[in-house]
Amino acid sequence: MVKVNENYLKLKAGYLFPEISKRVNNYTQANSSSKVIKLGIGDVTEPLPKACVKAMGEALNEMGTNNGFKGYGPEQGYGWLREKISVNDFISRGCQISSEEIFVSDGSKCDSSNILDILGDDNLIAVTDPVYPVYVDTNVMTGRTGETLQNGTYQGLVYLAINEENNFQPEIPKKKVDIVYLCFPNNPTGATITKQELKKWVDYAIENKSLILFDAAYEAFIQDKNIPHSIYEIEGAKNCAIEFRSFSKNAGFTGVRCAYTVIPKNLSGQNSKGDKIDLWSLWNRRQCTKFNGVSYIVQRGAEAVYSSQGKKEVNSLIDFYMKNAEIMQNKLRSAGFKVYGGDNAPYVWIKVPDRMTSWDFFDYLLEKADVVGTPGSGFGLAGEGYFRLSAFNSRVNVNNAMERIINI
């Protein structure tokens, strides 16, 4: 009989969001008259920017002609999109990232997992706690952790707690780690990091020859001009960091699928003999072997994000969701909740009432208000006692959900 990858057996019973869906489905089946408002999963709700729709429509028509038809595209992404990304997202902010250092993909969730393909199994890895579950689960799946401990953490991982006491800023590890995952603006807490604090991480990584995996999927929601949008705004970061970006939240591409990963050409690791190995070449080889690229039609849609009309429409989407976050903050604070995040990210992170666990509060909101959020403990041990609400929904639903919560 075929043998299975037993690392999967270490995982908790289910991924966080399917578990939420299961509970919500059970509730709605038992209460057919309920009108549940979902503020849990970070999925967008507003239509795609018209500029993107127009560009994809034109690309589709182009594909229906002999002259315009496209077959397999470059695994790294079309040069015209990579160049637009380089100029608009990096060079405009003083980051010297070339188009060749940008790899277009179908999602930053996928890339933050797939990057492990080019990294050794014996690296010591640090994650923040709470954390986006994919960072932990993919390391478990690939055998980079030990067994599950009673508190739900995994042997072999270094956990960096982020909470009220440290203003949701992870502390630099006291010992050397090889790889550290950072996500700012942070999912799930909505916290951000200043250039001064991020510089400390870059300095640590350079000193210890560590690699930072920097998830900037929510950078477009930053409102504060003093907050960095990219780790490459920090001097030295090209020598120690890989950055993940996405079109999912800013342009609403969650169902369209387009993202990109930045791997600087001078970024290196080493083999078992201590020889320097170029990470760019390894990732390029990995993509050429395991990935056939994002469709031409989707990439034309992503390119339209950088048109003058596309920029206006994307900014309008961001403003819409951030207004939702502001409404949520104000309403929840007026009801006596401690509220964090929501200023530079589309997530509001709240302290649950005393004597409730985060899953207790999940059930409480579902049963008393027909509102779905995400329990903080689903993001890790330090997330217990907190709860995430997403600003991704219609204005009507956000207003109604807040009224339901404050009137329980």
Side-chain angles (χ1 to χ4, degrees):
M1 188 175 292
V2 66
K3 294 180 174 61
V4 301
N5 179 355
E6 294 188 28
N7 293 306
Y8 277 71
L9 305 181
K10 302 177 195 171
L11 293 168
K12 297 171 188 176
Y15 184 56
L16 171 61
F17 299 109
E19 173 62 23
I20 289 173
S21 296
K22 184 179 78 173
R23 292 193 184 208
V24 173
N25 289 337
N26 289 341
Y27 174 76
T28 54
Q29 287 172 10
N31 300 272
S32 56
S33 62
S34 68
K35 295 182 179 178
V36 173
I37 298 175
K38 298 178 181 179
L39 301 177
I41 190 170
D43 195 3
V44 293
T45 56
E46 299 306 295
L48 292 168
K50 291 179 181 178
C52 299
V53 173
K54 181 174 182 290
M56 286 190 283
E58 290 173 351
L60 179 61
N61 290 332
E62 187 182 347
M63 291 280 279
T65 67
N66 286 327
N67 291 335
F69 176 76
K70 304 287 188 300
Y72 290 122
E75 293 90 349
Q76 304 83 359
Y78 285 98
W80 35 262
L81 175 56
R82 298 165 82 192
E83 187 63 33
K84 289 282 175 63
I85 293 169
S86 170
V87 170
N88 287 274
D89 289 348
F90 296 102
I91 292 174
S92 66
R93 296 189 181 278
C95 309
Q96 297 309 307
I97 298 296
S98 72
S99 60
E100 285 190 339
E101 295 172 311
I102 294 161
F103 293 80
V104 178
S105 75
D106 58 354
S108 57
K109 176 182 180 180
C110 306
D111 283 358
S112 65
S113 167
N114 292 333
I115 199 69
L116 296 174
D117 281 2
I118 68 168
L119 302 172
D121 293 347
D122 53 353
N123 288 302
L124 182 60
I125 296 168
V127 296
T128 59
D129 180 16
V131 66
Y132 180 43
V134 171
Y135 308 155
V136 172
D137 288 0
T138 53
N139 276 286
V140 175
M141 292 171 176
T142 54
R144 288 171 164 85
T145 73
E147 297 297 327
T148 314
L149 300 175
Q150 284 190 338
N151 61 9
T153 62
Y154 289 94
Q155 292 175 333
L157 286 182
V158 175
Y159 290 86
L160 309 172
I162 50 178
N163 49 44
E164 294 162 283
E165 285 68 37
N166 58 23
N167 199 28
F168 300 99
Q169 298 291 322
E171 295 181 6
I172 300 288
K174 293 180 172 58
K175 62 180 179 179
K176 179 187 183 306
V177 297
D178 300 302
I179 299 170
V180 59
Y181 288 80
L182 294 178
C183 175
F184 288 103
N186 185 253
N187 177 18
T189 68
T192 53
I193 193 168
T194 65
K195 286 185 178 181
Q196 293 76 16
E197 289 300 314
L198 192 51
K199 180 67 164 63
K200 293 177 184 177
W201 281 98
V202 170
D203 291 344
Y204 169 86
I206 291 173
E207 180 182 349
N208 290 279
K209 297 182 180 179
S210 305
L211 176 66
I212 297 173
L213 300 179
F214 192 79
D215 188 343
Y218 298 94
E219 61 79 28
F221 294 89
I222 294 173
Q223 311 290 299
D224 188 336
K225 293 181 180 178
N226 297 314
I227 301 296
H229 287 249
S230 169
I231 195 169
Y232 302 119
E233 293 179 46
I234 309 302
E235 184 180 357
K238 287 187 70 173
N239 297 314
C240 65
I242 292 172
E243 183 165 297
F244 305 100
R245 293 278 194 105
S246 175
F247 293 98
S248 283
K249 315 296 179 169
N250 63 336
F253 274 37
T254 54
V256 177
R257 309 310 301 151
C258 196
Y260 63 90
T261 290
V262 181
I263 302 189
K265 281 205 164 185
N266 59 332
L267 191 60
S268 299
Q270 67 178 26
N271 63 14
S272 58
K273 298 176 182 178
D275 302 322
K276 257 189 176 184
I277 303 295
D278 165 24
L279 294 185
W280 184 95
S281 296
L282 293 183
W283 183 247
N284 187 59
R285 184 68 171 84
R286 187 266 173 207
Q287 293 298 83
C288 289
T289 301
K290 289 191 172 186
F291 186 57
N292 263 339
V294 175
S295 83
Y296 173 74
I297 297 166
V298 167
Q299 289 191 62
R300 282 298 185 193
E303 181 192 29
V305 167
Y306 302 107
S307 67
S308 57
Q309 187 62 29
K311 288 178 180 178
K312 289 178 185 176
E313 291 169 348
V314 166
N315 286 337
S316 179
L317 281 174
I318 291 166
D319 289 344
F320 177 84
Y321 291 126
M322 291 310 296
K323 181 62 180 179
N324 280 352
E326 180 186 342
I327 291 169
M328 293 163 68
Q329 284 178 316
N330 292 337
K331 292 287 188 180
L332 291 166
R333 283 179 179 139
S334 71
F337 287 98
K338 276 189 176 181
V339 180
Y340 307 92
D343 294 317
N344 295 285
Y347 295 123
V348 173
W349 187 245
I350 63 176
K351 187 86 171 177
V352 304
D354 291 341
R355 301 195 191 102
M356 274 192 181
T357 67
S358 54
W359 275 109
D360 286 342
F361 191 63
F362 173 90
D363 292 333
Y364 177 74
L365 284 189
L366 181 60
E367 294 166 8
K368 301 294 184 183
D370 283 348
V371 172
V372 175
T374 310
S377 61
F379 297 103
L381 186 64
E384 182 56 81
Y386 297 95
F387 199 79
R388 193 191 77 176
L389 291 172
S390 167
F392 292 122
N393 215 306
S394 69
R395 186 62 44 78
V396 169
N397 278 347
V398 166
N399 280 323
N400 286 343
M402 293 306 103
E403 289 303 313
R404 292 182 188 181
I405 291 172
I406 66 179
N407 289 315
I408 291 177

